[in-house]
Amino acid sequence: MLYIENLNAGIDQPILKNLNLKVNPGEVHAIMGPNGAGKSTLSKVLAGHPSVKVFSGKVDFKGEDLLSLPPHIRAHKGVFLSFQYPTEVPGVNNAEFLRLCYNTKQKAQGGIELDPLDFDELLDSKMALLKMDLKYKERNLNEGFSGGEKKRNEILQMALLEPSLGILDETDSGLDIDALRIVAQGINALRNPERSLILITHYQRLLNYIEPDFVHVLHQGKIIHTGDKSLALDLEEKGYDRWSQE
Amino acid sequence: MKPQIQEQSLDFFKKLPQLGNVPFSAQNSDHLKNLLPPNATEAKLFARLRARILDLGFPGPKAEFFSQLPPTLKPDLTLWLKTPQISSSLLEESKQTLLKQVKSLLPQSVLVYTSDQFYEIEPLAEQKIIEQIQAESNVLHLCQKLQSLFSIHIIIPPDTSLPNCAINWHSLCSFPFHVYMWLGKNSQTNWSLEYHSQVDTSRLCGMSLWAEPHAQVNLEVSHLSSTGVDWNHFSFVLKEGSAVTLTGYSEGSQFSHQSLSATLAEPEARLEVKWANLLTGSHKSFLGVHVHHQVPHTHSYQEFRSIAAGQSKLGLDLALGVYPQAAQISARQTIHNLLIGEQVQAQVKPQLMIFSDDVQCSHGATTGQLDADQLFYLESRGLSPAEATALLTESFLAPLFENSSASWKTHLQNRIHKQLEII
């Protein structure tokens, strides 16, 4: 599904350095690493953030050159980024925004667009999955949401848009214990053999709920070690110092 | 349903010529009040047209349309007005054309609809209009005369409630148009005023409003795009405990000059102005607002949000005056400008002129571009750059219309979408 080859990318100079990663359909990959390792840069490159420049390398997504596509087309093709810091957009009603996004994608994919009533039913069912209060439908997009509610709203969007590849950038940050469990349950409910996930996180605790197939250590812009979920436990215990010293 | 003429209303309208071209000032308030018929509170509303402003093929609702509506949907008053097509760039040419057009108009009539009756208004004599036009030798004076000719006097009697009224003014020529509104004591009313202009010539229109003690009015005004020159002026006088809310939307024009002068003349008068400008192409727009706090315990709130795109130019000159004796007033002035493109210009001049102690006054102004993070966030959810831009610009204006009527919001959304397609 996703094949990253020798990717060099950053703002002014490469932060990601010859990064390679392969994600097959249905796989869950956790990417862990110290601050400044390039985790968020990777998520921005994949989503097409204009501030990140690709110096060299290739990203193939379902047989297409992902880097040649503008952000909204990437979304239509099935790439979804759950933001570390979701942006507040005053004046835009959350439910209306979600319906606009849903229908835009449906239209792009030749699917059926929903009228407000039908969409409302769909939205209610997805919000129930995440145990979200229905009052968040009427609020403006992320405006005044707590950190945890913003993250839930991100996963709600993922549940509605049903992407092929979900990139979750530190979704666990800002969540209390109960919220983490509920959000993780929601993410697990979205797992299927066709959908892949990249979990970017600092902590092992998210992986207690969402079991990854692979755990990668990203350090100084490169994936320097790959293992199974036991690697996350090892990192929690010993930290990243051993690689910093190498 | 054939329009009916109510005897009592005709009597009332016959009295109105006494007004003549009475200038709008505080001294005329009593004069206007004396014109009210004895049973004014039952009559709900009387309007007067002092010239023939006619519907020439405009598909506005007719009597049959209203008769089919269920009672709950019937408006209290809607005036559908449209001028004929007249081009006037030179005085002589325009005079000749005006004469021709006025003659063709006169046989027709205007209907004023209220919840109970249709009123057919008696026209001014044709000869009188012709004489006024012929006698004029100055373009500006001609405009001023026409403004007094083409005006509506609306009198809301005391203790009257008229929640759902509208004026739709479609100008296909350079006829000036002015609304004079007098709000009786304790009256309450909501008005939607829509000015369309589709000419390359100048347009002069405006409103003079008078709020007697404890009157409340909510005005929703839209000035829709024109390729010519727009000159709009509002003048408000607020008396004790009255409240005026003006929510406006303007699309600018080749040159648009809008001004508001509001006088808070007695204690506890309250003014709220929320105004949106959406400029595209080579539009140039100037907005000047002067609010006068003349006495203590008066309150004003002003919020202006403008979007300028293309090569448009925006000027805002907003002055707030607190008179020496006007203690314990509160006033707030907020300005937000959103510039789209490299060639737009905005010049903002907020002014607080405070000559009294013990007041609460504040102002703030921001000018900026679309937030890149917000744009990317929306695009990452599948919206194209154009869709994301449209959504953000719409949301930028949205706070102004939070408390507006649903029909007004829908109307504005449609207009804004149309304008954003140009961007």
Tab-separated table of all heavy atoms in Angstrom, chain B residues 9 17 28 50 72 89 91 111 208 212 230-231 265 282 311 417:
chain	number	residue	atom	x	y	z
B	9	SER	N	-56.845	54.608	5.164
B	9	SER	CA	-55.449	54.774	4.785
B	9	SER	C	-55.306	55.837	3.704
B	9	SER	O	-54.336	56.585	3.693
B	9	SER	CB	-54.873	53.455	4.293
B	9	SER	OG	-55.468	53.102	3.079
B	17	PRO	N	-48.743	64.784	1.992
B	17	PRO	CA	-48.055	65.824	1.227
B	17	PRO	C	-47.689	67.040	2.050
B	17	PRO	O	-46.814	67.820	1.672
B	17	PRO	CB	-49.064	66.169	0.130
B	17	PRO	CG	-49.827	64.903	-0.067
B	17	PRO	CD	-49.919	64.288	1.300
B	28	ASN	N	-38.436	67.728	13.547
B	28	ASN	CA	-39.588	67.300	12.771
B	28	ASN	C	-40.349	66.137	13.400
B	28	ASN	O	-41.334	65.673	12.856
B	28	ASN	CB	-39.154	66.887	11.367
B	28	ASN	CG	-38.632	68.082	10.611
B	28	ASN	OD1	-39.122	69.182	10.806
B	28	ASN	ND2	-37.631	67.869	9.781
B	50	ARG	N	-43.977	58.749	-2.501
B	50	ARG	CA	-44.245	60.066	-3.047
B	50	ARG	C	-43.915	60.139	-4.537
B	50	ARG	O	-43.748	61.184	-5.095
B	50	ARG	CB	-43.481	61.117	-2.254
B	50	ARG	CG	-44.090	61.292	-0.883
B	50	ARG	CD	-43.518	62.482	-0.171
B	50	ARG	NE	-42.140	62.252	0.207
B	50	ARG	CZ	-41.172	63.136	0.068
B	50	ARG	NH1	-41.417	64.291	-0.463
B	50	ARG	NH2	-39.964	62.863	0.478
B	72	THR	N	-49.380	32.225	8.963
B	72	THR	CA	-48.117	32.315	9.709
B	72	THR	C	-46.957	32.738	8.831
B	72	THR	O	-45.937	33.196	9.322
B	72	THR	CB	-47.779	30.964	10.344
B	72	THR	OG1	-47.861	29.960	9.324
B	72	THR	CG2	-48.722	30.630	11.471
B	89	SER	N	-25.809	59.769	-18.091
B	89	SER	CA	-24.466	60.234	-17.790
B	89	SER	C	-24.367	61.739	-17.966
B	89	SER	O	-23.624	62.393	-17.275
B	89	SER	CB	-23.447	59.507	-18.669
B	89	SER	OG	-23.812	59.662	-20.015
B	91	LEU	N	-26.468	65.419	-18.150
B	91	LEU	CA	-27.695	65.983	-17.602
B	91	LEU	C	-28.833	66.030	-18.613
B	91	LEU	O	-29.925	65.519	-18.372
B	91	LEU	CB	-27.412	67.395	-17.076
B	91	LEU	CG	-28.633	68.126	-16.522
B	91	LEU	CD1	-29.177	67.402	-15.319
B	91	LEU	CD2	-28.285	69.561	-16.197
B	111	LEU	N	-48.368	48.626	-5.030
B	111	LEU	CA	-49.134	48.031	-3.942
B	111	LEU	C	-48.282	47.968	-2.692
B	111	LEU	O	-47.117	47.614	-2.742
B	111	LEU	CB	-49.556	46.599	-4.309
B	111	LEU	CG	-50.458	46.454	-5.510
B	111	LEU	CD1	-50.777	44.988	-5.722
B	111	LEU	CD2	-51.740	47.239	-5.305
B	208	SER	N	-32.996	57.305	6.781
B	208	SER	CA	-32.999	58.153	7.970
B	208	SER	C	-33.958	57.530	8.964
B	208	SER	O	-35.109	57.263	8.622
B	208	SER	CB	-33.459	59.564	7.613
B	208	SER	OG	-32.583	60.123	6.667
B	212	GLU	N	-38.033	56.626	18.718
B	212	GLU	CA	-38.610	57.292	19.887
B	212	GLU	C	-38.324	56.442	21.136
B	212	GLU	O	-37.871	55.295	21.029
B	212	GLU	CB	-40.116	57.474	19.688
B	212	GLU	CG	-40.478	58.498	18.622
B	212	GLU	CD	-40.104	59.910	19.025
B	212	GLU	OE1	-40.343	60.292	20.188
B	212	GLU	OE2	-39.547	60.644	18.179
B	230	ASP	N	-21.777	53.785	-6.080
B	230	ASP	CA	-22.794	53.701	-5.034
B	230	ASP	C	-22.526	54.741	-3.969
B	230	ASP	O	-21.386	54.927	-3.557
B	230	ASP	CB	-22.755	52.329	-4.346
B	230	ASP	CG	-23.464	51.289	-5.168
B	230	ASP	OD1	-24.129	51.676	-6.136
B	230	ASP	OD2	-23.349	50.110	-4.833
B	231	TRP	N	-23.563	55.371	-3.523
B	231	TRP	CA	-23.406	56.370	-2.476
B	231	TRP	C	-24.545	56.147	-1.504
B	231	TRP	O	-25.693	56.458	-1.807
B	231	TRP	CB	-23.486	57.777	-3.089
B	231	TRP	CG	-22.914	58.827	-2.212
B	231	TRP	CD1	-23.531	59.432	-1.152
B	231	TRP	CD2	-21.619	59.402	-2.284
B	231	TRP	NE1	-22.687	60.334	-0.569
B	231	TRP	CE2	-21.517	60.350	-1.240
B	231	TRP	CE3	-20.532	59.205	-3.134
B	231	TRP	CZ2	-20.358	61.091	-1.035
B	231	TRP	CZ3	-19.398	59.959	-2.916
B	231	TRP	CH2	-19.306	60.888	-1.882
B	265	ALA	N	-29.000	60.166	21.573
B	265	ALA	CA	-29.377	61.487	22.066
B	265	ALA	C	-29.935	61.489	23.473
B	265	ALA	O	-30.009	62.542	24.111
B	265	ALA	CB	-30.399	62.109	21.112
B	282	SER	N	-11.902	44.916	-9.128
B	282	SER	CA	-11.293	46.240	-8.948
B	282	SER	C	-12.184	47.136	-8.091
B	282	SER	O	-12.122	48.357	-8.202
B	282	SER	CB	-11.050	46.887	-10.307
B	282	SER	OG	-12.282	46.970	-11.012
B	311	GLN	N	-7.920	43.122	-6.967
B	311	GLN	CA	-7.173	44.396	-6.870
B	311	GLN	C	-8.010	45.421	-6.108
B	311	GLN	O	-7.860	46.628	-6.293
B	311	GLN	CB	-6.866	44.942	-8.258
B	311	GLN	CG	-5.960	44.091	-9.117
B	311	GLN	CD	-6.740	43.055	-9.897
B	311	GLN	OE1	-7.782	43.356	-10.464
B	311	GLN	NE2	-6.235	41.830	-9.910
B	417	HIS	N	-21.440	32.973	-1.573
B	417	HIS	CA	-20.957	31.905	-2.471
B	417	HIS	C	-20.740	32.449	-3.882
B	417	HIS	O	-19.744	32.150	-4.532
B	417	HIS	CB	-21.971	30.763	-2.520
B	417	HIS	CG	-21.897	29.896	-1.297
B	417	HIS	ND1	-22.932	29.102	-0.887
B	417	HIS	CD2	-20.919	29.715	-0.393
B	417	HIS	CE1	-22.590	28.469	0.219
B	417	HIS	NE2	-21.370	28.841	0.534
